[in-house]
């Protein structure tokens, strides 16, 4: 029995060693290991920092230089620290207590907390999942457009137009169309696709958030405005189309201002980072999947939809936190003037602030009444809620054609950017530029409204 076991081991051992050696040679060729890399990786794995087999099985190349560089940087600089007891903590507590103490003093502490929770829950169920559905569908469509060469063709054809206007490649038109037909987060699915990103330089990617937001819900807003009847029974077709022109002007200003900042940070030559596409492929070629046409169709569609799920989930913190606060600062109490703790109640601070600035805003936008300011202010947090205010203004004679043009331009351009910009910039890994992106888009939206007012005055 023992002799049989020994003979089996003698027969199997050379084959096992051969197969193991062949496997290591295959891995070293495909992942370009050096002996130093393998040794360093095995040492690191003993300390629980790197799992060699995980790297091999997942197909992630192991980069010793990156580990050593990051390690040396960490050793030299270390994490940023501050004193445990500092003035910063007191200042933060003071500001925090002032803001929420003021809100709680007006609404009541219990009502304030209930409104926070109910608004966040409603946003999650009715807004976030809606945005995720849009992102999934838009991701599936964009995946097909990229797989079968539509994006590559558009990039070639429209680059001469988009480059002078926006400073972006022609492929960005796909983002414009996608967001115009759906909502601004739809641009995230494109921004996360390597086949799309390869047309961009690194400094151009952050501007996708601005240009995507500027056209978000464009079709919905335009159709809604056209459907509103004037007091005489007419329609606002001309005003809505002029509003679209204003939104285009605002988008150009927003994107250009953003590019001025990113050029200084990243230069104009660094390519956008892609994980799955090598840098040796020229823009005269495009990457396709292996397999039949039907297989490529299904795979690209599902892969695009999966990217939409990831992007839709990544915006949850930003939408729930930022939009809840914006809604509470924008909206007022319930219909009977009391606070009940229901969702979307608030203290109406932003409209109050806008009324104080009416002497500046009214000449710029030509509003028929002070109440018109509430529409663009509400569009800061949610474009859908903003356009819902318009029919009552028209019925009451508080809004005319000029107002509709301005409302269309600013609702399109801003499109709830305060509630989505943070999450969108975080999703495309440019969180450090969030504040600048919001500032640029604020300016762009203001110019969209001003442009729509001037265009309507000249043309009508």
């Amino acid at each position: 029995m023992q002799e049989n076991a020994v003979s089996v081991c003698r027969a199997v051992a050379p084959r096992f060693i051969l197969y193991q050696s062949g496997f290591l040679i295959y891995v070293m060729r495909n992942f370009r290991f050096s002996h130093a890399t393998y040794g360093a990786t095995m040492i690191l794995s003993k300390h629980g920092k790197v799992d060699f087999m995980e790297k091999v099985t997942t197909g992630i190349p192991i980069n010793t230089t990156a580990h050593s560089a990051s390690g040396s940087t960490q050793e030299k600089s270390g994490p940023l620290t501050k004193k445990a007891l500092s003035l910063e903590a007191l200042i933060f507590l003071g500001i925090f207590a002032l803001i929420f103490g003021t809100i709680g003093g007006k609404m009541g502490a219990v009502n304030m907390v209930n409104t926070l929770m109910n608004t966040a829950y409603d946003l999650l169920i009715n807004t976030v999942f809606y945005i995720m559905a849009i992102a999934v569908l838009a991701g599936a469509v964009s995946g097909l457009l990229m797989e079968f060469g539509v994006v590559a063709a558009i990039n070639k054809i429209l680059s001469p137009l988009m480059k002078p206007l926006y400073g972006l490649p022609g492929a960005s038109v796909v983002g414009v169309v996608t967001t115009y037909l759906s909502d601004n987060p739809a641009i995230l699915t494109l921004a996360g696709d390597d086949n799309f990103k390869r047309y961009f330089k690194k400094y151009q990617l952050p501007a996708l958030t601005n240009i995507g937001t500027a056209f978000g819900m464009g079709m919905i807003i335009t159709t809604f405005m056209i459907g509103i009847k004037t007091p005489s029974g007419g329609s606002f077709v001309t005003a809505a189309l002029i509003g679209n022109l204003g939104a285009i002007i605002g988008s150009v200003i927003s994107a250009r201002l953003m590019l001025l900042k990113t050029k200084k940070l990243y230069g104009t030559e660094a390519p956008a980072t892609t994980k799955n596409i090598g840098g040796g492929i020229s823009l005269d070629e495009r990457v396709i999947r292996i397999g039949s046409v039907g297989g490529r169709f299904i795979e690209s569609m599902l892969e695009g939809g999966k990217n939409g799920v990831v992007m839709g989930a990544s915006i949850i913190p930003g939408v729930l936190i930022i939009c809840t606060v914006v809604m509470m600062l924008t909206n007022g109490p319930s219909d009977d003037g009391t606070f009940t703790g229901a969702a979307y109640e608030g203290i109406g601070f932003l409209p109050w602030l806008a009324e104080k600035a009416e002497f500046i805003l009214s000449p710029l936008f030509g509003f028929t009444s002070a109440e018109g300011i509430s529409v663009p202010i509400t569009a800061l947090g949610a474009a859908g809620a903003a356009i819902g205010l318009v029919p009552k203004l028209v019925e009451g004679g508080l809004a005319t054609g000029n107002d509709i043009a301005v409302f269309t331009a600013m609702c399109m351009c801003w499109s709830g950017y305060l509630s989505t910009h943070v999450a969108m910039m975080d999703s495309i890994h440019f969180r450090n530029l969030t504040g600048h992106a919001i500032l640029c888009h604020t300016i762009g939206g203001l110019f969209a409204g001003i442009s729509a007012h001037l265009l309507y005055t000249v043309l009508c």
Side-chain angles (χ1 to χ4, degrees):
M1 190 73 178
Q2 186 176 1
E3 292 178 359
N4 291 337
V6 171
S7 61
V8 169
C9 290
R10 287 177 178 174
V12 172
R15 292 186 180 182
F16 175 77
I17 294 171
L18 181 61
Y19 291 154
Q20 187 181 44
S21 303
F23 172 73
L24 287 175
I25 291 170
Y26 171 79
V27 170
M28 291 172 67
R29 283 180 179 175
N30 281 272
F31 295 98
R32 292 176 173 83
F33 290 135
S34 64
H35 294 292
T37 305
Y38 179 81
T41 305
M42 293 304 292
I43 292 171
L44 288 170
S45 66
K46 291 180 181 179
H47 296 282
K49 293 182 179 179
V50 177
D51 187 348
F52 172 71
M53 288 309 298
E54 180 183 351
K55 293 290 185 181
V56 171
T57 54
T58 55
I60 302 174
I62 298 177
N63 191 335
T64 312
T65 306
H67 286 296
S68 61
S70 61
S72 61
T73 303
Q74 187 73 8
E75 290 174 2
K76 290 180 181 179
S77 61
L80 294 174
T81 60
K82 282 191 174 184
K83 292 181 180 179
L85 293 176
S86 65
L87 186 61
E88 186 178 49
L90 295 176
I91 294 174
F92 171 78
L93 284 175
I95 296 174
F96 188 86
L98 177 63
I99 294 174
F100 286 96
T102 304
I103 297 174
K106 188 167 184 179
M107 298 181 65
V110 175
N111 290 329
M112 178 187 71
V113 174
N114 286 335
T115 295
L116 279 169
M117 300 301 145
N118 290 329
T119 302
Y121 176 77
D122 192 81
L123 286 170
L124 176 64
I125 300 301
N126 295 318
T127 300
V128 171
F129 288 146
Y130 169 73
I131 291 174
M132 183 181 289
I134 290 174
V136 170
L137 295 176
V141 174
S142 62
L144 293 172
L145 294 178
M146 283 179 280
E147 178 65 25
F148 293 99
V150 177
V151 173
I154 290 175
N155 181 66
K156 279 289 185 184
I157 296 170
L158 295 181
S159 283
L161 173 65
M162 294 300 291
K163 190 70 175 177
L165 273 179
Y166 291 97
L168 297 173
S172 57
V173 172
V174 179
V176 170
V177 174
T178 302
T179 53
Y180 188 84
L181 296 177
S182 54
D183 203 351
N184 43 343
I187 195 75
L188 296 179
T189 311
L190 292 169
D193 194 303
D194 287 344
N195 223 346
F196 181 77
K197 287 162 63 176
R198 62 189 287 262
Y199 297 105
F200 293 78
K201 300 294 184 182
K202 184 175 182 178
Y203 80 95
Q204 294 172 325
L205 276 182
L208 280 176
T209 296
N210 293 57
I211 193 174
T213 303
F215 290 93
M217 291 185 67
M219 178 64 73
I220 297 172
I221 293 170
T222 303
T223 305
F224 185 87
M225 295 298 186
I226 292 175
I228 298 173
K229 297 296 182 183
T230 66
S232 61
S235 67
F236 291 108
V237 175
T238 304
L241 295 179
I242 290 175
N244 277 251
L245 292 177
I248 292 172
I249 294 172
S251 69
V252 172
I253 293 172
S254 176
R256 282 292 184 177
L257 288 175
M258 191 67 188
L259 291 177
L260 289 176
K261 176 71 173 179
T262 55
K263 281 181 181 179
K264 294 178 181 178
L265 290 177
Y266 306 116
T268 57
E269 298 301 324
T273 304
T274 55
K275 297 178 181 178
N276 302 318
I277 297 177
I281 300 174
S282 72
L283 294 181
D284 292 325
E285 300 173 315
R286 59 187 178 91
V287 179
I288 64 171
R289 290 171 170 79
I290 299 173
S292 63
V293 173
R296 288 166 55 203
F297 181 93
I298 296 297
E299 188 177 347
S300 60
M301 181 175 61
L302 294 180
E303 184 69 23
K306 186 178 75 173
N307 290 338
V309 173
V310 174
M311 291 299 180
S314 67
I315 70 171
I316 291 176
V319 171
L320 297 193
I321 297 168
I322 304 298
C323 197
T324 297
V325 174
V326 170
M327 291 292 103
M328 290 185 69
L329 293 176
T330 302
N331 297 335
S334 60
D335 293 337
D336 59 3
T338 61
F339 294 100
T340 63
Y344 300 109
E345 290 182 354
I347 60 174
F349 172 72
L350 293 179
W352 173 83
L353 188 64
E355 287 180 7
K356 299 300 180 184
E358 181 187 355
F359 68 97
I360 298 175
L361 300 178
S362 291
L364 291 177
F365 305 121
F367 289 134
T368 304
S369 64
E371 287 80 357
I373 297 174
S374 63
V375 176
I377 290 295
T378 306
L380 293 171
I387 61 178
L389 302 173
V390 178
K392 291 183 179 179
L393 293 176
V394 174
E395 289 174 8
L398 302 176
T400 59
N402 176 79
D403 299 273
I404 296 297
V406 175
F407 293 161
T408 304
M410 299 187 76
C411 286
M412 267 183 61
C413 196
W414 277 348
S415 190
Y417 74 105
L418 286 184
S419 61
T420 58
H421 244 54
V422 177
M424 290 172 71
M425 293 298 290
D426 185 44
S427 297
I428 61 175
H429 310 297
F430 288 99
R431 184 186 298 176
N432 59 311
L433 292 172
T434 300
H436 193 78
I438 290 175
L439 174 62
C440 293
H441 209 65
T442 301
I443 297 172
L446 292 173
F447 273 95
I450 294 170
S451 301
H453 168 53
L454 295 177
L455 286 171
Y456 189 87
T457 301
V458 171
L459 299 176
C460 299

